[in-house]
Amino acid sequence: MKAVGLHSILDTVKRFSLFSLIALSCALVSGENFRVRKLIPIAFTDIHEKITVESGINDALFITLPADITYVSGVELTLKVPEEIATWRDSVAYMLYEKLNPAPTEKNQNYYGERAFLETIPGQLSLTLYIPISNDFSIKDSPYSVKLPLYTDYKNGMFLRFMMVMKGVPESLERAIISITAKPVLKNEGALSLTTTPASSDEKKYSVFIDDTPVQETDFKNKIFSTGEHHLSIVSDSYRNELRTFRIEQAKTTTLHIQLRGIEPLLKILSPKDTKVFLDGTEIAVTTEPLVITQGEHNVRFVIGDYEVIKTVSAVNGRTYAVNLNVDATISEEE
């Protein structure tokens, strides 16, 4: 019986609350003067930062973003709703404002602004608000979250105010504290910073393709891509073609450096220790690095004691050749 009575009272008060809210909404279409008890600043200095504050009813949040918001698509506010507010659902409204005058500071309590959004806190203990600042904001509404309209005045900060909109509530409700955790919402993008040695020049140019799309030379540094795996190719008449796979991480810059190789033929020589190697009649030192040779025929001569092997290589530009001398012994059983 007691529960039924409370339910009836809450329904009556709720109807009065909604009537008041509708009247308030109609009165504030163009703008309004209002007063807040306290202004609570949330100033992000880094896009990966998370800030938790406490707000009372009739307080306001003033949210400022970092200078670089390349990867920021909005702001997420997670409200830990006190039980009193959840019980008296729709008793407290949150309102988003823009074009504030004067500029919000902790010393100012009286403001004039244009309301961009108004809604009440439902009967639940947790609520997440999303404030988009770009059209590519990808998070959708859910039963426990609300996506507010696109906020375009974010360069001047975001102003979110709480206000009691229901009469006849307990005094303890007016003293309730809402815990709020704020963080930037990041785009599913990152950047690629590509450098090459040597760099492209008028004499030796090259073309860059990423995911089969040509990229202008001026876009090699800090070009934005979606997160995930991508494919890069460098095509040139002066250098060998290069293929790479790279991965873009959210809100991070991937650095990729490519050492370009000339189109002259390369020769790799592998031989046992103490083998003398002659290239076109001149003895050479064998190293792990390939030799740059000219296009055409070349003779490679291996000498181990009295044993000698000569091989001929017909070299073509853009190719790499390997000449490997294997000296092996076999064992067999004879009767």
Side-chain angles (χ1 to χ4, degrees), residues 32-292:
E32 65 169 325
N33 291 296
F34 59 89
R35 179 182 176 85
V36 298
R37 186 181 68 90
K38 182 174 65 173
L39 186 73
I40 303 167
I42 298 178
F44 292 107
T45 57
D46 183 83
I47 62 174
H48 300 284
E49 193 172 7
K50 183 185 291 186
I51 299 174
T52 298
V53 297
E54 291 185 340
S55 173
I57 310 305
N58 299 318
D59 289 345
L61 307 179
F62 184 57
I63 307 164
T64 53
L65 295 171
D68 185 0
I69 58 170
T70 302
Y71 301 116
V72 178
S73 65
V75 172
E76 175 186 301
L77 301 173
T78 300
L79 280 59
K80 187 177 180 181
V81 181
E83 187 174 350
E84 304 99 304
I85 296 178
T87 301
W88 290 81
R89 59 175 302 162
D90 300 313
S91 61
V92 177
Y94 55 93
M95 290 163 276
L96 185 66
Y97 288 88
E98 57 188 4
K99 300 178 182 179
L100 270 296
N101 185 31
T105 67
E106 292 181 73
K107 295 182 180 180
N108 291 334
Q109 292 179 296
N110 298 301
Y111 295 97
Y112 175 86
E114 295 184 9
R115 180 175 44 78
F117 185 80
L118 185 152
E119 187 55 86
T120 56
I121 297 177
Q124 54 196 51
L125 297 176
S126 179
L127 176 65
T128 299
L129 308 179
Y130 293 109
I131 308 175
I133 65 169
S134 69
N135 289 317
D136 57 356
F137 190 89
S138 58
I139 298 178
K140 308 296 183 183
D141 284 344
S142 76
Y144 297 97
S145 69
V146 177
K147 186 174 76 171
L148 280 63
L150 181 68
Y151 193 85
T152 58
D153 196 29
Y154 59 88
K155 291 183 179 179
N156 296 316
M158 302 177 182
F159 194 99
L160 186 74
R161 171 193 176 201
F162 294 99
M163 179 181 175
M164 187 75 68
V165 293
M166 182 184 291
K167 293 186 177 181
V169 298
E171 291 185 6
S172 61
L173 187 61
E174 297 185 5
R175 298 191 297 270
I177 298 296
I178 304 172
S179 177
I180 303 163
T181 299
K183 66 177 183 178
V185 177
L186 304 182
K187 300 176 183 178
N188 289 320
E189 294 178 340
L192 172 69
S193 181
L194 171 67
T195 57
T196 62
T197 304
S200 182
S201 64
D202 292 337
E203 295 79 19
K204 293 186 176 182
K205 294 184 177 181
Y206 56 80
S207 299
V208 177
F209 295 83
I210 297 179
D211 299 331
D212 298 324
T213 300
V215 180
Q216 298 299 321
E217 293 179 12
T218 55
D219 292 337
F220 287 171
K221 291 186 178 180
N222 298 322
K223 184 168 178 62
I224 304 297
F225 292 95
S226 60
T227 55
E229 190 174 270
H230 298 269
H231 304 282
L232 177 146
S233 60
I234 294 180
V235 179
S236 174
D237 293 331
S238 303
Y239 302 103
R240 294 180 178 227
N241 294 345
E242 301 285 349
L243 300 174
R244 298 288 190 279
T245 297
F246 63 92
R247 188 167 190 83
I248 293 293
E249 296 185 29
Q250 187 182 45
K252 295 182 179 180
T253 298
T254 298
T255 301
L256 180 62
H257 179 77
I258 297 179
Q259 177 73 46
L260 298 177
R261 302 170 297 167
I263 60 173
E264 299 83 5
L266 298 178
L267 179 64
K268 295 180 180 179
I269 297 177
L270 302 173
S271 63
K273 186 179 179 181
D274 298 328
T275 301
K276 292 184 178 181
V277 180
F278 298 83
L279 177 62
D280 296 331
T282 301
E283 186 174 0
I284 61 173
V286 177
T287 66
T288 56
E289 295 297 319
L291 299 171
V292 178

